[in-house]
Amino acid sequence: MELNPRTVTSEPASPTSSAGEEKMEITSELSSPTSLSRDSGFFERSIRRLSTRKSKQSPNKESGKEDTGTWKGKRLLRSFRSYEKNKTTICDGVEKIGESKEAEPVQGKLLSVMEINELIQKRQLLEAFASIKLLEDETISERNAGKYKDNPQELLRKSKDVNFLYNSIANAIQSTVEGTLEASTIEETMLTSMVTLIAHEEAAHCNTDKVVHPGSDLLGRPRKWRDMWREAINESAKKRVLKAPMVSKEEDSSWLDLHLNFLQKLLREDLLKIKLSVKKCYPEEYQVCDTYVEAFHKAIASHLQHLCQRLLDFNELYILLKWVANTYHSELFLGHPDLKPEVKTENLSPLLTPADWDKLKNNYIASAKENIKSYFGNILRLEVTEKWEKEVHSEAKENLYHASLSFDIQTIIGEHMKLSGTISRSLETKMLELCMTELLEFIPRFEKEFEKAWSTAQDSPIFAPCVVAYINSFHDLMSGLETQFKVNTVELQKILAALTSNFTNIFLTKLKTKAQELLREVHKYVVKEYITQVIKHRWRMNRETRQEVSKKMDQEARIFHNTLIDQGSDSHWLVPAIHYIAKIIKEKKKDKIKVYVKKLCQNYPDIRKDHILAILARRGLGRNRRAAILRQVCHVLESSSGGEGNTLFAEIDVPMVICCF
């Protein structure tokens, strides 16, 4: 048997031990000069006792052959004596130990399963292990001697007892490891004793035959408690990760940021405790800090995979990506100065698999797409509600009209690129591509809304400045994208060229509409002034003169009517006014005069009695005839005066003297 000559300590005595029990203690510190002798004495006496007992129980009946138990006991005794003499390593991985002095030996006994289990419950694991090993060796010796040939069930029972006891110690080791970080202080004695226990088990089973005998389960086989120790650390790390507080999104919108901050604070404190207190309880070969860091790394990776399964919004995806890419290895967590140099991160695998990392980034880009579309939509909404509807004048800078559109768009693009750039260069590039795609979709939408709002809108003093401001702003946007973001703007130039052309057409259309309105007013003014001049003169005309005047009036009316309509006036309703008056002036028959007067009343509802009397006076009719015609058309005048239509005569004043002429 080989022992691990490492610094070890005993298990603390159980406070529940009664005064009548035989005190069985391992040395408080086997690293002391007396520890080796005492531990060796314990195993030596146990082996001697086992050899004597086996000699009595199984006498050798054949000459020249030693009893199996006696032979194995002597072999183990020689191993201990050789170990005591040389003070060197027997099994691979077990280091040299310092000089030891004689110490009071600890007596060992071949105890019952119940008694050994009681030692385990009291955490007197070294004593328990020694007794289990004696029970295991006895069972193996008896098996090899053929004692259970006719009773295999008994061998199976004793094998199960040994396994049960070893498993109980394994559970105690696991409990000790998992409780290390939970306690407020580190029980160094317990940890060093556990390390001693693992070393004893490895030494005790290092040269064991690998052949498993039927019915003997794992008798004599290595228990691999160091592997189990690593698994216990992994379980401990999982529990510590899950211990970080995490509120719901409904309770706090910053739940993920808070959770990750709690996580890094809790685990950073754990790693500092491992560096300062736990590490010194283990031999160097255990690489305790590396083992714990790897365990925490795997636990965090598993935890992040669960977080990634949640429906995360844009900000949450950014927080998670940034934490993985930057915070995890930074001085805020694993790279904290207090953890150096024991905590090393250069050999850690990525927290997320390439597939999970790509999926997280793709979700981030998809969420950013909706985010940017929403931002651009808000820009358009504010332009409509805060500027167009309220008719807010565009700002002028350096004698040029400008809109905030270019600045707002570049700010959105710049902020999203800045956030993505903190995660990775490739993500920053993807974000710029996404922003440009959304911008190329936004500009035609903006153009459509502008055209819809202004094509049918009434005349506004802000329209022309607004058009100019947007054209200037889009030009600034293209220039900024080229210089600040190094964007290829070929496609954008095409879209902005179409927008500029469309805005120009809208402007010209509005200008043309305005010029039509002006021509209408000019057309109306000319006709109104012409009629005013015709009816205000008081000179009498003979028949020939009336014919000449009527002919001239028709000619002149036709000239300026055609001219103004050719220029864009659509006031065709003005054309008959002068022609009817010209016909009344030259007409000889009174019935036809009455027909023309009726037509004037029907076509121009705003004509008044004084207008009719003045026109009839211009014809040269006497007062009685004028009054008679007026009476005959009075019903037409009354029915048309309340109707709707274009106004012409309402603005023509007739002196009373004309009416009485």
Side-chain angles (χ1 to χ4, degrees):
M1 175 180 285
E2 297 172 330
L3 292 178
N4 187 348
R6 287 204 172 275
T7 300
V8 290
T9 61
S10 71
E11 302 298 328
S14 171
T16 60
S17 300
S18 63
E21 291 181 26
E22 181 179 1
K23 191 174 182 181
M24 301 172 62
E25 294 180 325
I26 310 301
T27 59
S28 61
E29 285 193 19
L30 290 181
S31 58
S32 67
T34 61
S35 61
L36 182 60
S37 298
R38 192 182 341 175
D39 196 42
S40 300
F42 165 69
F43 278 100
E44 184 176 335
R45 284 189 299 278
S46 298
I47 294 169
R48 283 175 179 169
R49 184 174 177 275
L50 175 61
S51 300
T52 303
R53 183 174 179 180
K54 293 303 292 181
S55 298
K56 291 179 180 178
Q57 291 177 352
S58 304
N60 187 4
K61 302 221 176 148
E62 297 181 16
S63 130
K65 186 181 281 188
E66 259 187 331
D67 177 79
T68 307
T70 304
W71 175 83
K72 186 162 188 176
K74 289 181 177 179
R75 182 170 66 87
L76 291 172
L77 183 58
R78 287 196 299 271
S79 297
F80 274 109
R81 286 174 174 170
S82 176
Y83 173 78
E84 177 70 18
K85 180 179 178 180
N86 297 326
K87 308 291 191 298
T88 56
T89 303
I90 304 299
C91 287
D92 292 338
V94 182
E95 299 176 355
K96 294 182 179 181
I97 192 169
E99 294 293 332
S100 64
K101 298 180 180 179
E102 287 295 328
E104 182 180 351
V106 177
Q107 295 181 357
K109 295 181 180 180
L110 187 62
L111 304 175
S112 67
V113 173
M114 184 178 296
E115 291 172 323
I116 297 173
N117 191 52
E118 186 177 354
L119 291 175
I120 296 173
Q121 298 306 316
K122 294 177 181 179
R123 287 297 191 266
Q124 295 175 249
L125 302 182
L126 289 172
E127 271 187 349
F129 171 74
S131 296
I132 299 170
K133 189 63 177 67
L134 290 175
L135 179 60
E136 182 182 40
D137 289 346
E138 179 187 66
T139 306
I140 292 174
S141 298
E142 292 174 347
R143 180 195 66 193
N144 294 342
K147 178 178 179 180
Y148 305 111
K149 184 177 181 181
D150 298 328
N151 190 8
Q153 292 301 320
E154 179 64 15
L155 174 60
L156 181 60
R157 182 190 65 78
K158 294 191 72 173
S159 298
K160 287 184 177 180
D161 288 343
V162 172
N163 284 335
F164 166 75
L165 294 171
Y166 273 143
N167 289 338
S168 296
I169 288 185
N171 291 336
I173 294 174
Q174 184 175 5
S175 177
T176 299
V177 174
E178 293 185 6
T180 298
L181 297 178
E182 297 293 336
S184 57
T185 57
I186 301 299
E187 297 185 11
E188 297 181 5
T189 301
M190 183 70 73
L191 290 178
T192 52
S193 179
M194 180 189 69
V195 173
T196 302
L197 178 64
I198 294 174
H200 283 185
E201 189 280 327
E202 290 175 343
H205 294 117
C206 67
N207 287 327
T208 304
D209 184 6
K210 295 184 179 180
V211 178
V212 178
H213 296 270
S216 61
D217 199 12
L218 297 176
L219 285 177
R221 296 295 301 278
R223 296 292 162 167
K224 299 182 180 179
W225 285 345
R226 195 179 300 210
D227 292 342
M228 188 206 65
W229 168 79
R230 292 190 181 90
E231 286 302 315
I233 288 180
N234 289 335
E235 288 301 316
S236 175
K238 290 179 184 178
K239 291 179 180 179
R240 299 298 289 175
V241 167
L242 295 177
K243 191 176 180 180
M246 182 166 62
V247 300
S248 65
K249 187 173 184 178
E250 292 71 22
E251 294 176 286
D252 196 320
S253 59
S254 302
W255 66 274
L256 182 57
D257 195 27
L258 292 173
H259 173 64
L260 294 176
N261 285 332
F262 279 129
L263 180 64
Q264 67 195 48
K265 181 178 183 296
L266 176 66
L267 299 190
R268 189 174 65 233
E269 291 174 354
D270 284 349
L271 289 172
L272 187 61
K273 184 186 294 185
I274 293 165
K275 171 187 173 179
L276 299 179
S277 301
V278 177
K279 179 177 179 290
K280 63 185 179 182
C281 298
Y282 290 87
E284 185 65 29
E285 67 190 64
Y286 273 73
Q287 297 182 327
V288 174
C289 287
D290 291 343
T291 303
Y292 268 104
V293 169
E294 183 66 27
F296 278 129
H297 183 72
K298 290 189 292 186
I300 294 172
S302 177
H303 183 56
L304 292 182
Q305 284 184 334
H306 288 293
L307 289 178
C308 290
Q309 302 306 315
R310 296 190 174 205
L311 186 60
L312 303 176
D313 61 25
F314 174 77
N315 289 330
E316 292 162 350
L317 289 166
Y318 168 72
I319 289 171
L320 192 55
L321 283 166
K322 183 182 177 184
W323 195 86
V324 173
N326 299 332
T327 306
Y328 184 67
H329 289 276
S330 74
E331 292 187 354
L332 295 174
F333 195 9
L334 294 185
H336 196 280
D338 291 344
L339 299 178
K340 295 178 179 178
E342 283 78 5
V343 174
K344 299 180 286 291
T345 62
E346 55 271 15
N347 295 326
L348 293 176
S349 60
L351 261 180
L352 297 176
T353 64
D356 288 338
W357 179 246
D358 288 341
K359 181 180 179 181
L360 195 61
K361 290 195 296 184
N362 290 337
N363 290 342
Y364 173 75
I365 291 296
S367 181
K369 178 182 177 66
E370 298 302 319
N371 212 33
I372 294 170
K373 187 183 293 291
S374 176
Y375 277 126
F376 285 168
N378 288 338
I379 289 177
L380 178 56
R381 179 178 58 81
L382 290 175
E383 292 294 314
V384 173
T385 59
E386 299 300 320
K387 294 183 180 179
W388 303 349
E389 293 180 358
K390 295 182 180 180
E391 296 192 353
V392 177
H393 284 270
S394 300
E395 296 181 1
K397 183 171 64 174
E398 297 179 357
N399 296 325
L400 294 175
Y401 287 113
H402 283 274
S404 62
L405 199 65
S406 173
F407 175 80
D408 295 339
I409 292 175
Q410 290 189 68
T411 299
I412 292 172
I413 296 175
E415 287 299 318
H416 281 78
M417 286 186 62
K418 181 179 178 181
L419 292 176
S420 304
T422 61
I423 298 170
S424 70
R425 178 65 180 171
S426 62
L427 199 60
E428 182 183 32
T429 302
K430 284 187 177 180
M431 184 59 69
L432 178 58
E433 293 173 355
L434 172 63
C435 289
M436 289 304 301
T437 300
E438 291 302 312
L439 178 61
L440 294 179
E441 186 274 335
F442 165 74
I443 292 176
R445 182 154 53 101
F446 179 91
E447 178 183 357
K448 183 177 180 181
E449 287 296 321
F450 183 86
E451 183 177 3
K452 177 182 177 182
W454 290 100
S455 61
T456 58
Q458 295 296 323
D459 183 33
S460 172
I462 74 164
F463 172 74
C466 191
V467 170
V468 175
Y470 284 135
I471 292 176
N472 290 339
S473 185
F474 281 121
H475 181 272
D476 290 343
L477 174 62
M478 185 171 63
S479 177
L481 292 174
E482 290 175 342
T483 57
Q484 297 296 325
F485 303 103
K486 311 303 179 184
V487 173
N488 184 342
T489 59
V490 173
E491 190 66 25
L492 180 62
Q493 288 177 18
K494 295 178 181 177
I495 293 177
L496 292 183
L499 178 140
T500 302
S501 176
N502 190 27
F503 276 16
T504 302
N505 289 335
I506 295 175
F507 175 77
L508 292 176
T509 300
K510 297 286 287 185
L511 182 61
K512 183 178 179 181
T513 301
K514 186 66 177 176
Q516 285 174 341
E517 292 175 357
L518 178 61
L519 286 171
R520 290 192 198 105
E521 293 298 322
V522 171
H523 197 166
K524 180 179 176 181
Y525 177 80
V526 170
V527 173
K528 182 185 69 173
E529 289 298 315
Y530 191 91
I531 294 174
T532 300
Q533 295 298 322
V534 168
I535 64 177
K536 78 175 182 179
H537 291 290
R538 292 178 294 175
W539 45 270
R540 292 181 178 273
M541 294 182 293
N542 56 27
R543 181 177 179 183
E544 289 77 12
T545 303
R546 290 198 303 272
Q547 294 294 324
E548 292 177 3
V549 169
S550 175
K551 182 178 179 181
K552 186 176 182 181
M553 287 176 63
D554 282 334
Q555 292 174 346
E556 291 175 342
R558 191 175 296 109
I559 291 172
F560 58 72
H561 277 318
N562 292 340
T563 301
L564 291 171
I565 288 176
D566 289 343
Q567 292 296 321
S569 173
D570 56 358
S571 298
H572 295 278
W573 63 278
L574 290 170
V575 174
I578 299 176
H579 290 304
Y580 285 137
I581 296 173
K583 290 181 183 299
I584 291 172
I585 290 175
K586 76 172 182 178
E587 187 56 51
K588 179 179 179 182
K589 297 180 179 180
K590 306 303 184 290
D591 291 340
K592 287 188 177 181
I593 293 175
K594 184 174 65 176
V595 171
Y596 296 140
V597 171
K598 285 182 179 181
K599 288 186 177 295
L600 272 175
C601 294
Q602 291 171 346
N603 290 342
Y604 303 98
D606 64 328
I607 195 170
R608 300 189 305 269
K609 292 179 182 180
D610 56 340
H611 293 132
I612 296 173
L613 292 174
I615 294 172
L616 292 176
R618 202 73 192 91
R619 163 62 177 78
L621 296 177
R623 181 179 299 176
N624 292 333
R625 289 186 177 181
R626 295 198 303 266
I629 294 175
L630 184 60
R631 284 194 299 270
Q632 293 176 358
V633 299
C634 186
H635 65 285
V636 179
L637 184 64
E638 291 176 353
S639 62
S640 63
S641 62
E644 296 181 358
N646 296 312
T647 61
L648 173 63
F649 287 89
E651 299 178 10
I652 299 176
D653 294 328
V654 180
M656 290 300 297
V657 67
I658 299 297
C659 297
C660 299
F661 182 74

